[in-house]
Amino acid sequence: MGEQQHVKFPQEVIDEYAALGVDLRALFSAGHLGNRMGVQILEASAERVVGTMPVEGNTQPYGLLHGGASAVLAETLGSVGSMLHGGSSKIAVGVDLNCTHHRGARSGLVTGVATPVHRGRSTATYEIVISDEEGRRVCTARLTCLLRDLDGTTAASAVQA
C-alpha cells in the first residue's frame, strides 16, 4: 500500500534527480504517514500532481472520510508540486493549509488534483481539489509552501539525512 511505482514524472525532472543519484519516486512519495493512509501518487509535475487515497481506514466515528485525512492528501500533493517547482536546490516547507469540506465520503477512493495558484522564488501555493469516485467535490484545499535554499546541499540529500 502506498507504493509509488507508477508515478509519471516529466523526463527533465527524472534526468535532474538521476544525475544526483536520487531515486525520484522515493523522494517524492507520500512519506510514512501517507503510506499508512494508503496515499498513492499517480502523476507528478510542477503543473499538476494527482493522487488517490482510500476512504476505508481513514474515517471518523460517523463512518465518513476524516477531514484530517483529506488534509494529509492535500498537503502531500501540494508539497510534491512545490518541491518539483523549487527543484533540487530547494526544499518546500508547508506554512499554511486551508481545507473546506463540501460533502462526506463513506467508501471507495478519493482523488486529489493539485494545481498551482502561485509559483514564485520563495513560495508556492497550490489548490487541491479532492473528489469522490462519482466526480463530486469532497474537499477544496489550498497549501502554501515556503521554498528554502539548502546552502550548498540538495533537496534530495536533505531528505535522505
Side-chain angles (χ1 to χ4, degrees):
M1 202 145 125
E3 301 246 344
Q4 307 304 315
Q5 297 174 10
H6 304 290
V7 182
K8 297 177 188 173
F9 290 100
Q11 189 60 47
E12 63 272 10
V13 174
I14 293 170
D15 294 344
E16 175 185 359
Y17 284 87
L20 299 170
V22 174
D23 178 355
L24 185 65
R25 286 170 177 81
L27 179 62
F28 293 107
S29 71
H32 295 294
L33 176 60
N35 286 339
R36 276 198 310 272
M37 297 181 72
V39 172
Q40 292 197 353
I41 299 171
L42 307 176
E43 174 187 334
S45 71
E47 292 77 30
R48 177 179 155 97
V49 183
V50 179
T52 61
M53 181 180 66
V55 173
E56 184 178 345
N58 294 314
T59 58
Q60 38 87 310
Y62 297 118
L64 298 171
L65 178 64
H66 195 291
S70 293
V72 167
L73 178 59
E75 185 151 358
T76 298
L77 300 178
S79 293
V80 168
S82 296
M83 287 290 291
L84 289 168
H85 166 64
S88 62
S89 65
K90 295 190 181 260
I91 188 164
V93 179
V95 294
D96 182 62
L97 175 65
N98 174 285
C99 299
T100 301
H101 306 287
H102 306 292
R103 70 180 316 119
R106 290 190 178 276
S107 62
L109 284 177
V110 290
T111 299
V113 178
T115 54
V117 174
H118 167 77
R119 291 186 296 165
R121 288 177 297 164
S122 60
T123 63
T125 301
Y126 281 76
E127 177 184 60
I128 304 94
V129 175
I130 300 173
S131 304
D132 64 16
E133 291 180 321
E134 287 76 42
R136 298 175 298 192
R137 190 177 292 222
V138 172
C139 176
T140 303
R142 186 192 69 243
L143 174 71
T144 298
C145 288
L146 175 65
L147 301 174
R148 297 195 48 173
D149 290 324
L150 288 175
D151 300 328
T153 64
T154 64
S157 60
V159 171
Q160 292 170 347

